[in-house]
Amino acid sequence: MAITDTFTDCTSYQLILLSLGTLTLLYAILRLTTTLYAITRPSRLHLFRPHSHPPWALITGSTDGIGLALSQELAAQGFNLILHGRNPTKLRHLTSLLSVSHPHLQTHTFIADASLPLSPSSTDSLLTLLKTHSIHLTLLINNVGGNSNIPGGPWTYFHSRTTADIDESLNINMGFATRLTHALLPVLLGSDNRDGCQRLVLNIGSLAALGAPKLNVYAGTKGFLLSFTRALHAEMGMLARDRGNRGDRKDRGDPGGSVKVQYVFVGSVQSAENKEPVSMFNPSARTWARAALRRVGGDEAVVTPWVGHAVQRLFLEGMPEEWREWVFVKGTRKVERGWGKEEGKGKGG
C-alpha cells in the first residue's frame, strides 16, 4: 500500500511538472511565432493612406534621431508632414531638406517646447492649422523624448537628480504625448471614414521600460506610455464595437472611424548621442524607421519592429526578474563607460 501511494504521488508530481513545462513551452512558441509574424508580414501603411484626401502625418521631435528618420521615410512614402520641434531654425532646415528630395511634399510646422506642459494656446493653434488647411490627419507619432539634459550625464542615481530635471523628463517623455493625444483624438475619431481609411497613433517606447537602472524617470515614463497605450488600444476597440464600426471593416454610417493605438519598443539606435557602430542590436535611425513603418499598423497593442530589439525583448521578458536586473545593471555599466569616453572626446575637440 505504501509503495503504491508513493508511486501515485510521484506520478502526480511528475504530471504537474510536465503540464507546467508544456504550457511554458507553448507560451514561448506562441511569443516567438507572433514576433516573427509581426516582423515578416507585409506593410500595412497603405491602410492609413486615404484614397480621396492627401495623407498627413504629425511627428513630434522630428528634427533629430528617430524623429528625423521617420519624417524622411514618411515623405518617401507619400505622406505630407506636420513637423514638430521647439527650434524654428532646425524646423526650417528640415523643411528645406525634405522639399529638395520631395518637391511635391506639403509641410507645416508645429513649434512647442515638449519640456513644458502643452498649453491650451498651442493645441488651439494646431487645431486651427488642421481646420484652416483641411488637413486629413491619419497618423500621429508621439516620438519626442530623451534623457540627456541632465547634469552629470543621462545615467544618474535618482536621489542625485534635481526636481527641475525630473519635471522636464516627465513632460518630455510622458506629459507631452498624453496631452497631444488627448487634443487630437477627437480629430482622428471624427475624420471622414467613407473611403475606409484608418487612423494610427504610435507611441515610441523603449526597452528601458522593462527596468533600466539609472534611467529611472525615463524608464518610468516609458512604462507609463506602455500601460497608457494598452488601455487606449482596448478603449478604441470598445468604442468601435459600441459604434458598430469594427476596426477591420468599412464605415457603417458612424462619423467616427477606426483609430489604432500602438506602443513601439525601441532598443539602441545609432544617433548623434549614440555613436556605437551599426549592428544587429544597434541599427541606424533610418534603417530602424524603415523597418518600423513596414511593421506597424497591425491589431496588436505592442510591436517591436526591429529584429534585434525583438530578440532582446523576448529574452528580457522571459527571464526571471533577478536575471533581468543583472543584465540591465551590466548593460548600464557598459554603456556608461562608452558614453564617458565619447564625452571625453567631445570635450577634447
Side-chain angles (χ1 to χ4, degrees):
M1 178 73 71
I3 295 176
T4 304
D5 290 343
T6 302
F7 177 77
T8 302
D9 290 342
C10 288
T11 303
S12 300
Y13 178 69
Q14 290 171 345
L15 184 60
I16 292 172
L17 288 179
L18 179 62
S19 300
L20 289 174
T22 302
L23 289 173
T24 302
L25 179 61
L26 288 174
Y27 175 72
I29 292 173
L30 179 62
R31 284 291 307 274
L32 180 60
T33 303
T34 54
T35 299
L36 289 174
Y37 171 70
I39 290 173
T40 58
R41 71 183 174 207
S43 172
R44 298 190 177 185
L45 197 62
H46 65 278
L47 297 175
F48 311 98
R49 186 183 291 111
H51 305 300
S52 56
H53 308 277
W56 283 85
L58 191 160
I59 308 101
T60 66
S62 63
T63 58
D64 296 294
I66 286 175
L68 172 59
L70 286 168
S71 300
Q72 293 169 324
E73 286 299 318
L74 283 168
Q77 295 278 352
F79 278 79
N80 298 314
L81 303 175
I82 300 175
L83 303 168
H84 162 264
R86 63 179 177 180
N87 187 321
T89 302
K90 292 177 74 172
L91 285 170
R92 284 194 297 269
H93 175 73
L94 175 57
T95 300
S96 299
L97 181 70
L98 292 173
S99 64
V100 171
S101 303
H102 310 283
H104 301 293
L105 176 71
Q106 299 179 57
T107 61
H108 291 285
T109 58
F110 171 43
I111 300 172
D113 188 346
S115 68
L116 302 173
L118 184 62
S119 66
S121 61
S122 293
T123 55
D124 287 345
S125 66
L126 177 59
L127 295 174
T128 299
L129 172 70
L130 297 177
K131 184 176 181 179
T132 302
H133 296 275
S134 300
I135 291 174
H136 189 76
L137 187 68
T138 61
L139 179 56
L140 167 63
I141 303 181
N142 288 312
N143 163 74
V144 68
N147 194 51
S148 59
N149 297 324
I150 301 172
W155 291 272
T156 306
Y157 288 112
F158 183 65
H159 66 271
S160 300
R161 300 188 63 166
T162 66
T163 302
D165 80 63
I166 289 173
D167 288 343
E168 181 175 307
S169 186
L170 290 173
N171 282 322
I172 292 175
N173 297 298
M174 181 178 72
F176 193 82
T178 305
R179 293 184 177 96
L180 184 63
T181 303
H182 181 258
L184 291 178
L185 196 55
V187 175
L188 297 171
L189 284 169
S191 298
D192 185 0
N193 194 37
R194 286 174 295 181
D195 56 10
C197 178
Q198 300 176 17
R199 267 79 67 198
L200 178 64
V201 178
L202 296 178
N203 293 322
I204 304 301
S206 172
L207 290 175
L210 301 179
K214 299 188 78 173
L215 293 176
N216 31 73
V217 179
Y218 177 78
T221 56
K222 293 302 182 180
F224 164 83
L225 279 183
L226 178 59
S227 294
F228 173 66
T229 300
R230 282 177 165 150
L232 200 55
H233 179 273
E235 192 174 306
M236 291 297 100
M238 292 174 63
L239 184 61
R241 286 189 289 272
D242 290 344
R243 291 176 162 185
N245 177 29
R246 294 199 51 105
D248 56 351
R249 300 179 185 177
K250 292 187 177 182
D251 182 60
R252 297 178 178 178
D254 190 279
S258 170
V259 178
K260 292 187 175 183
V261 187
Q262 289 187 306
Y263 182 91
V264 185
F265 265 114
V266 187
S268 179
V269 174
Q270 192 182 60
S271 66
E273 295 176 355
N274 173 21
K275 297 180 176 64
E276 289 294 315
V278 169
S279 68
M280 177 181 176
F281 300 111
N282 189 57
S284 70
R286 192 70 184 267
T287 300
W288 181 90
R290 192 175 300 118
L293 293 178
R294 282 201 303 266
R295 287 153 191 164
V296 297
D299 295 326
E300 64 275 9
V302 181
V303 62
T304 313
W306 181 250
V307 61
H309 299 160
V311 170
Q312 290 174 318
R313 179 188 165 201
L314 278 174
F315 274 99
L316 287 169
E317 291 185 334
M319 288 179 180
E321 185 174 349
E322 293 81 5
W323 295 12
R324 183 165 60 246
E325 182 174 306
W326 180 84
V327 169
F328 266 123
V329 169
K330 295 290 285 186
T332 298
R333 296 293 191 195
K334 179 181 178 181
V335 175
E336 272 187 306
R337 288 193 295 269
W339 186 86
K341 290 177 183 178
E342 290 298 329
E343 283 293 291
K345 290 178 184 177
K347 290 175 182 178

